[in-house]
Amino acid sequence: MASKCPTRIVPSPRCAPRHGWAGSRVSARPSKCGASGGRSIICAAVRFRPCIDIHKGKVKQIVGSTLRDSSNDGTALVTNFESDKSAAEFAKLYKEDELVGGHVIMLGADPASQASSLEALHAYPGGLQVGGGINLENAMSYLNEGASHVIVTSYVFSDGKMNIERLRKLVELVGKQRLVLDLSCRKKDGRYTIVTDRWQKFSDVFVDEPTLEYLAAYSDEFLVHGVDVEGKRCKLGIDEELVELLGRHSPIPVTYAGGVSTMDDLERIKKAGKSRVDVTVGSALDIFGGDLPYRDVVLWHKKQSMVGQL
């Protein structure tokens, strides 16, 4: 019997040894509907992926494009919200609500942020991904501490180019199934271009069908921030064109972040991405000082999950 749900075809990954955290891993993938031509077909049900952004040990919502390695360039850091709750408390909340595959992002490599991220991973082992300064030397340590995946950007896209040798070594170390590539991008000359180094440096790699197909062989998922609208709180809305591109061309699970401020935005992402693009909401949520009720988003997420199982 043919599946009733939308599908996306995912190439069968090469077998890789399991490494890292030995606990029962929480799966962030949709259920499989069947197979076609030797490739797995995955039921598509858009999901809400929660986030915990950490800056200097505190949970914050920051306009990412204002982050700098140095404050001497005259650009002020724009902070939308700073919580009095710990990263571990947010992790426990997501665990209670059975939200899988959220991401913990360290906005800086300071010891306080690293310690805070570990507390979150310990509070929800196997349920969260972690990113921010991940490299070949520290990736396994975060997996051993409870991360389901490590998220990588600047280590692979360095000096404006993709370092395929670094990517291959990461896959060899942690396994394709534990790696998320952050392809956050900005438009340049009409094309979505991957940006690195706190979203300040353009690479020479475009987010398009050939790139997504190629990188899918090296990663389990993609995370894509629409940097031009991220953290802007209602001013610009979602980047619908980018969502459409991801829904059309990504052969593996992909999560979009940027510009969500209303429940209607969630439905727009669902439609534009053909139910194949998951969504992260940050500063718009009431738990991060915004107006969008977190509980409403969780209920929406659970409704999508139920529809995807029909």
Side-chain angles (χ1 to χ4, degrees), residues 69-133:
D69 290 320
S70 171
S71 59
N72 296 327
D73 63 355
T75 302
L77 179 69
V78 178
T79 301
N80 285 330
F81 177 78
E82 179 174 338
S83 178
D84 57 0
K85 294 183 178 179
S86 69
E89 288 178 273
F90 283 101
K92 290 175 183 176
L93 174 66
Y94 301 154
K95 182 179 181 180
E96 291 170 359
D97 289 326
E98 300 179 328
L99 299 172
V100 179
H103 53 267
V104 179
I105 302 295
M106 295 173 283
L107 304 173
D110 57 282
S113 294
Q114 293 172 348
S116 185
S117 71
L118 292 181
E119 291 173 1
L121 297 179
H122 295 163
Y124 192 5
L128 295 167
Q129 305 167 358
V130 66

Side-chain angles (χ1 to χ4, degrees), residues 103-280:
H103 53 267
V104 179
I105 302 295
M106 295 173 283
L107 304 173
D110 57 282
S113 294
Q114 293 172 348
S116 185
S117 71
L118 292 181
E119 291 173 1
L121 297 179
H122 295 163
Y124 192 5
L128 295 167
Q129 305 167 358
V130 66
I134 302 297
N135 55 46
L136 199 64
E137 286 68 42
N138 62 21
M140 281 305 305
S141 66
Y142 285 105
L143 294 175
N144 289 333
E145 293 289 349
S148 67
H149 298 67
V150 287
I151 305 169
V152 179
T153 310
S154 297
Y155 184 70
V156 170
F157 301 97
S158 59
D159 297 323
K161 299 183 181 297
M162 179 166 61
N163 190 321
I164 190 63
E165 186 61 27
R166 284 185 173 183
L167 178 56
R168 287 172 175 161
K169 287 182 178 179
L170 270 172
V171 172
E172 182 179 349
L173 176 69
V174 306
K176 172 187 184 295
Q177 74 277 16
R178 310 296 295 276
L179 184 63
V180 175
L181 287 178
D182 184 340
L183 308 183
S184 295
C185 56
R186 307 177 76 171
K187 258 198 171 180
K188 181 181 181 182
D189 299 327
R191 302 185 69 179
Y192 289 105
T193 307
I194 295 174
V195 287
T196 66
D197 301 301
R198 303 190 182 187
W199 299 346
Q200 302 308 309
K201 182 181 293 185
F202 282 98
S203 72
D204 62 359
V205 184
F206 302 114
V207 177
D208 54 19
E209 183 177 8
T211 297
L212 294 171
E213 289 284 349
Y214 180 79
L215 292 177
Y218 295 94
S219 57
D220 198 43
E221 300 181 8
F222 297 133
L223 171 63
V224 183
H225 291 79
V227 176
D228 290 323
V229 299
E230 188 274 338
K232 303 299 174 62
R233 277 193 177 178
C234 308
K235 294 181 181 179
L236 298 173
I238 66 169
D239 191 332
E240 201 161 338
E241 181 183 351
L242 177 57
V243 174
E244 289 176 353
L245 185 156
L246 297 173
R248 186 183 312 118
H249 296 306
S250 180
I252 60 176
V254 56
T255 299
Y256 166 83
V260 175
S261 60
T262 67
M263 296 301 296
D264 286 342
D265 286 334
L266 298 178
E267 289 296 326
R268 288 173 61 202
I269 289 172
K270 176 182 175 181
K271 181 178 179 180
K274 297 180 173 59
S275 294
R276 296 171 182 153
V277 179
D278 293 342
V279 57
T280 287

Side-chain angles (χ1 to χ4, degrees), residues 32-89:
K32 291 183 179 179
C33 295
S36 174
R39 293 179 293 178
S40 298
I41 298 178
I42 291 179
C43 291
V46 61
R47 294 162 295 163
F48 166 55
R49 303 286 197 101
C51 65
I52 304 173
D53 292 349
I54 303 171
H55 182 249
K56 295 185 178 179
K58 300 290 186 179
V59 175
K60 299 181 183 180
Q61 285 294 311
I62 289 173
V63 179
S65 58
T66 67
L67 277 168
R68 298 290 191 278
D69 290 320
S70 171
S71 59
N72 296 327
D73 63 355
T75 302
L77 179 69
V78 178
T79 301
N80 285 330
F81 177 78
E82 179 174 338
S83 178
D84 57 0
K85 294 183 178 179
S86 69
E89 288 178 273

